[in-house]
Amino acid sequence: MIRALGTLALCGLVMLGTSSPAMAARPKAQLKIAVAVKGGAKKTVRLHCGPAGGSHPNAQEACELLEQVHGDPKQLNVSPDAACTREMQPHAVGVKGQWYGKPVRWGKVFDNGCLVEAVTGAVAAL
């Protein structure tokens, strides 16, 4: 009986030891980013930061941009001097999730894709 308890305790310690690195690698920011074009496609990706990853095509650059604004997408303005046309093809962008323990919920409709890129850079470049 004592031997069985000792074996169970040892197995428990091994399981705790193997789960610690997985817990340490959990991203500090987890965001869902969606871009929808009126009359066109809708794309949704996951962005993880700290470390960068997820299904976002350029996670590292997107995380770096969000770090500059402390995870607040409404403060993004990557290329304020961009020369965009006045083309009307509305793009809706939404960001929802957690940034280092802080909830994030942001959405905006832009007149066209050029404005999306000028404001959000890699964050909404899906």
Side-chain angles (χ1 to χ4, degrees), residues 36-52:
V37 180
K38 184 176 182 181
K42 177 182 178 185
K43 296 180 183 177
T44 303
V45 298
R46 299 270 181 194
L47 174 64
H48 301 163
C49 300

Side-chain angles (χ1 to χ4, degrees), residues 11 15 17 20 23 29-30 33-34 40 47-48 50 53 60-61 65 71 76-77 81 87 92 94 106 108 112 116 120:
C11 288
M15 293 300 288
S20 294
M23 292 174 70
Q30 298 181 27
I33 301 171
L47 174 64
H48 301 163
Q60 185 64 43
E61 186 177 350
L65 288 171
L76 288 170
N77 195 8
D81 298 325
E87 168 193 12
W106 175 80
K108 184 171 181 174
N112 56 53
V116 171
T120 67

Side-chain angles (χ1 to χ4, degrees), residues 35-110:
V35 177
V37 180
K38 184 176 182 181
K42 177 182 178 185
K43 296 180 183 177
T44 303
V45 298
R46 299 270 181 194
L47 174 64
H48 301 163
C49 300
S55 60
H56 194 286
N58 197 348
Q60 185 64 43
E61 186 177 350
C63 287
E64 289 171 5
L65 288 171
L66 285 167
E67 285 170 7
Q68 292 174 15
V69 295
H70 308 289
D72 186 359
K74 74 179 176 197
Q75 292 184 25
L76 288 170
N77 195 8
V78 177
S79 300
D81 298 325
C84 292
T85 65
R86 294 182 184 223
E87 168 193 12
M88 286 300 293
Q89 185 181 24
H91 285 59
V93 178
V95 180
K96 182 179 178 183
Q98 293 283 322
W99 182 265
Y100 292 80
K102 178 178 77 174
V104 175
R105 260 183 101 95
W106 175 80
K108 184 171 181 174
V109 177
F110 295 88

